[in-house]
Amino acid sequence: MEKVRWGRRIRAFRRLKMIKQVELAKEMDMSVSILGKIEQGKRAPTEAQLEKIAAILDIKLEELKGEIEAGDDK
């Protein structure tokens, strides 16, 4: 998936969960600057980062990847 799309999905889920960028960055043990670059599509997240983001946002990795609809239990 292209970097811009990752960033948009991460930002959308983060906002949906009402988590500030600084809070997610702290939970991720990364700088706000790096998270900002990921959300802006300037940097691609690693698979490990995606897994951690999904866990923090309490969503399935497949939801974050867009492989299943949000809230879909299939």
Side-chain angles (χ1 to χ4, degrees), residues 32-59:
V32 176
S33 174
I34 291 174
L35 180 57
K37 287 180 183 178
I38 290 172
E39 288 191 356
Q40 293 168 19
K42 295 179 180 177
R43 181 178 177 149
T46 65
E47 186 71 20
Q49 288 171 330
L50 289 173
E51 289 173 4
K52 193 167 184 178
I53 289 168
I56 292 167
L57 297 178
D58 193 30
I59 59 174

Side-chain angles (χ1 to χ4, degrees), residues 5-59:
R5 189 164 172 215
W6 278 123
R8 287 182 184 153
R9 292 190 65 79
I10 291 167
R11 180 181 293 137
F13 277 109
R14 177 179 59 76
R15 288 180 173 171
L16 183 68
K17 298 290 185 167
M18 297 177 18
I19 296 175
K20 294 181 180 182
Q21 194 177 51
V22 68
E23 295 169 336
L24 181 57
K26 185 176 180 180
E27 288 288 322
M28 291 291 300
D29 196 29
M30 71 170 51
S31 71
V32 176
S33 174
I34 291 174
L35 180 57
K37 287 180 183 178
I38 290 172
E39 288 191 356
Q40 293 168 19
K42 295 179 180 177
R43 181 178 177 149
T46 65
E47 186 71 20
Q49 288 171 330
L50 289 173
E51 289 173 4
K52 193 167 184 178
I53 289 168
I56 292 167
L57 297 178
D58 193 30
I59 59 174

